[in-house]
Amino acid sequence: MKGAMGYLVGTRLKNQLKSFKTHPSRLIYALVLVALLGLTLFSSGKQEAGSLRPGSEFALLAGAFFGMMFLILINSGFKNGASFFSLADVNFLFTAPVRPRNVLFYGLLRQLGVSLVMGLFLLFQYGWMHNVYGVRLPVLFLVLACYGVTVFTAQVVAMLAYSLTSADEKKRRKLKSAVFGIFLLMAAAVVARAAVRDGFTLEALVRSANSPLFRLIPVAGWMGGVLQGAVEGNAGMAAFYAALSAAFLGIMVVAIVKTNHDFYEDVLKTTEASHSAITARKEGHIEDSAPGNVRVGKIGLGRGWGASAIYYKHRLENRRARRFLLPPLSLVYAAIVVAFALFTRDAGPIPVLVMAVYIQMFSEGLSRFSRELTKPYIYMIPESAFGKMIHAMRETLLSGLAESALIFVVTGLLIHLDGWTIAAMVFVRWTFTLVFAAASVAEMRVFGGVTSKFLMIFFYLFLAVLMAAPGVIVAIVLGAFGHPLALCIAAAGVLNLPMALLALFLCRNMLRYAELNNI
């Protein structure tokens, strides 16, 4: 079986190229993606050199983002482990007469490619990176490479951590506390250094992050050092931190190879869970993820009658998941928007609002309302279809209001906005919660027969833009006539409400029959 892994990699690549011929939709998707990427890369505006923000801020922002992604993936690895393999690998490759070490390296190589593909969304951020920080294409591709290395390193560390602690819950908790404690302590030390020396300002934080203290933080500091060296033209700094990251990754891989644990056994459960989730998504199902240990407590809804019971069911599920108003992922999204506001505060509140709405597309796609439509119960309740939609959406609207208030109250205080502008931004982003929910319903109702994921996303975004267009146009017109910014923003929100409600009312009949696939 010498050269079996090389043959497998080559065959997979050839089959993927042949799939463009047998599945033209994939080729169309790739061409459209390349066209959009080209439009993004070559249509960015140019600012004068004096108006650009310092590159050290960009390195700090990117390093913080990489560190956040690393911790999120590590946390997931402590819970569920990490796997580089598919169920086909489990059934055929694991049973083949191939050395486990070769199988592991094959999985690592494939995961590295997947990690780079996951970072393609960063290329579409070139516009603001170039306009705000003067980022050029070589640095942009370096950001993509750093992101891929971060995700790949997190997967490797997650697999090692899970394999070492999967049999001992106490050991897992101790190791998890140690990993997160190290990151938090070092991050707190950077913030404290800035506060003590120069006061708690963004400029002081950036100066503190330029010190070796920040670059001692694993992965986050190292990737920040690579980017800072590239931005400042310091090849030695970039090479040093790149070598440090490579050495750390090599140590983790050697630890997996040398450990006494059989990684075949460690990845079986995770691979099967990933395969079940992928199969469910292909069939149109969206599965809820529940915590491993659910504290049941009080039994029964206690309140609600008819369709309103859906809302109280959602509240009960939140309580059992130990969640108050916002899930952890929403808090991460809020932190991203607040950080973005700090680094673009000179541009005013509009870029922050646009970023918050852009991030909201991802959070609303994971909302409970979309998952509720894939279950049979909502179709069986003998009430009006429009009323059932509204009740199923109540928890999503409440979470959207809480998330909007958290983002813009904090952001408004940091960038010194007046109260009316903060209230208008909270209101308009909350209305986009309804707009995105209505767009998902309209996409299911009008284009429910479309199986291409790309076309589904395209129609969803098209309908969302169509609903939001009247409000945006009116806001622009009011701004052109010199009306206050708060009034312009609020006017967009006022028009969002009837447009979204009209779309929901026109598509209400979708709840008369279970039209979704494989319900």
Side-chain angles (χ1 to χ4, degrees):
M1 295 295 291
K2 184 178 180 180
M5 294 297 98
Y7 171 79
L8 182 59
V9 172
T11 303
R12 285 180 61 90
L13 292 176
K14 288 189 292 184
N15 289 339
Q16 288 177 357
L17 293 176
K18 291 179 180 179
S19 67
F20 289 121
K21 181 179 180 181
T22 56
H23 299 85
S25 61
R26 297 181 182 178
L27 179 60
I28 295 174
Y29 171 76
L31 292 176
V32 171
L33 188 65
V34 171
L36 292 175
L37 181 59
L39 182 65
T40 302
L41 295 180
F42 297 107
S43 64
S44 299
K46 296 182 179 180
Q47 290 187 345
E48 297 180 0
S51 62
L52 296 177
R53 300 195 63 81
S56 55
E57 276 191 13
F58 176 72
L60 172 61
L61 181 64
F65 173 69
F66 295 148
M68 181 186 66
M69 291 300 303
F70 184 80
L71 289 178
I72 289 174
L73 293 173
I74 289 295
N75 184 59
S76 177
F78 274 112
K79 292 180 179 178
N80 305 312
S83 177
F84 306 144
F85 304 97
S86 64
L87 196 62
D89 296 327
V90 171
N91 293 331
F92 298 104
L93 189 58
F94 283 15
T95 58
V98 180
R99 287 183 178 181
R101 182 179 300 179
N102 293 341
V103 174
L104 175 62
F105 288 145
Y106 161 75
L108 292 172
L109 178 63
R110 190 173 69 178
Q111 183 61 33
L112 180 59
V114 172
S115 300
L116 291 174
V117 172
M118 288 174 60
L120 286 178
F121 75 95
L122 290 172
L123 299 181
F124 291 94
Q125 313 304 315
Y126 178 65
W128 72 266
M129 290 183 185
H130 176 74
N131 290 334
V132 177
Y133 294 104
V135 171
R136 301 294 180 181
L137 287 179
V139 177
L140 177 67
F141 288 110
L142 181 60
V143 171
L144 174 61
C146 290
Y147 178 84
V149 171
T150 299
V151 174
F152 179 61
T153 304
Q155 293 280 354
V156 173
V157 175
M159 175 182 282
L160 177 62
Y162 184 78
S163 65
L164 293 175
T165 63
S166 59
D168 191 337
E169 182 64 27
K170 292 183 178 180
K171 184 186 294 185
R172 182 187 305 181
R173 286 198 299 267
K174 290 180 181 179
L175 183 59
K176 181 179 179 179
S177 300
V179 171
F180 280 83
I182 290 173
F183 272 84
L184 291 177
L185 285 175
M186 298 188 76
V190 173
V191 174
R193 183 178 185 270
V196 170
R197 290 195 172 189
D198 304 305
F200 189 70
T201 63
L202 182 61
E203 291 75 12
L205 185 62
V206 171
R207 285 194 294 271
S208 179
N210 287 333
S211 67
L213 180 62
F214 173 73
R215 302 191 195 106
L216 287 176
I217 302 178
V219 181
W222 304 340
M223 293 296 103
V226 171
L227 288 176
Q228 186 171 348
V231 170
E232 297 178 353
N234 190 338
M237 176 190 293
F240 172 76
Y241 287 106
L244 185 61
S245 302
F248 176 76
L249 181 59
I251 292 173
M252 295 297 103
V253 173
V254 171
I256 293 177
V257 174
K258 297 296 184 180
T259 183
N260 294 326
H261 293 270
D262 187 354
F263 75 89
Y264 280 178
E265 297 295 332
D266 292 330
V267 303
L268 280 178
K269 180 180 178 181
T270 306
T271 303
E272 291 174 359
S274 300
H275 178 76
S276 299
I278 293 172
T279 303
R281 285 195 296 268
K282 288 181 178 179
E283 293 178 351
H285 297 292
I286 305 177
E287 297 183 344
D288 285 315
S289 58
N293 298 318
V294 179
R295 185 176 300 171
V296 176
K298 180 183 176 182
I299 298 176
L301 299 181
R303 301 178 62 183
W305 181 263
S308 65
I310 299 175
Y311 168 67
Y312 292 101
K313 179 178 78 75
H314 292 165
R315 290 182 55 179
L316 178 63
E317 291 170 350
N318 288 346
R319 179 177 63 80
R320 290 183 175 178
R322 303 184 182 95
R323 202 182 87 190
F324 178 55
L325 280 178
L326 297 177
L329 197 57
S330 293
L331 298 177
V332 172
Y333 289 145
I336 292 174
V337 177
V338 172
F340 179 81
L342 283 175
F343 287 94
T344 60
R345 62 192 184 281
D346 295 336
I350 296 301
V352 181
L353 179 60
V354 173
M355 182 65 175
V357 174
Y358 173 73
I359 289 289
Q360 193 176 15
M361 288 191 297
F362 301 99
S363 60
E364 291 306 316
L366 301 173
S367 67
R368 184 177 276 111
F369 172 68
S370 299
R371 298 195 296 269
E372 198 67 46
L373 294 179
T374 65
K375 299 175 182 177
Y377 314 110
I378 193 171
Y379 301 90
M380 301 170 63
I381 298 175
E383 289 196 18
S384 67
F386 184 70
K388 289 189 288 186
M389 281 188 177
I390 297 300
H391 282 296
M393 209 178 294
R394 284 174 62 184
E395 190 272 341
T396 299
L397 294 175
L398 182 62
S399 298
L401 179 60
E403 185 177 330
S404 300
L406 174 64
I407 289 174
F408 289 115
V409 169
V410 175
T411 299
L413 294 176
L414 289 176
I415 63 177
H416 307 294
L417 297 178
D418 62 274
W420 289 109
T421 304
I422 293 175
M425 295 174 74
V426 171
F427 172 68
V428 74
R429 190 183 186 275
W430 174 74
T431 61
F432 271 102
T433 304
L434 192 62
V435 168
F436 288 127
S440 65
V441 171
E443 187 275 323
M444 295 176 192
R445 184 68 179 90
V446 180
F447 305 104
V450 176
T451 57
S452 171
K453 297 298 182 183
F454 171 74
L455 291 178
M456 289 171 59
I457 295 173
F458 174 79
F459 291 136
Y460 165 74
L461 295 178
F462 172 76
L463 292 171
V465 171
L466 191 64
M467 293 179 201
V472 173
I473 292 173
V474 169
I476 293 175
V477 171
L478 290 176
F481 282 98
H483 290 281
L485 180 61
L487 178 62
C488 301
I489 295 174
V494 169
L495 288 179
N496 282 346
L497 289 177
M499 293 297 295
L501 292 174
L502 178 62
L504 289 173
F505 183 78
L506 293 177
C507 299
R508 67 192 185 282
N509 287 335
M510 70 174 292
L511 291 186
R512 291 182 180 271
Y513 308 99
E515 294 182 348
L516 298 179
N517 296 331
N518 297 307
I519 289 182

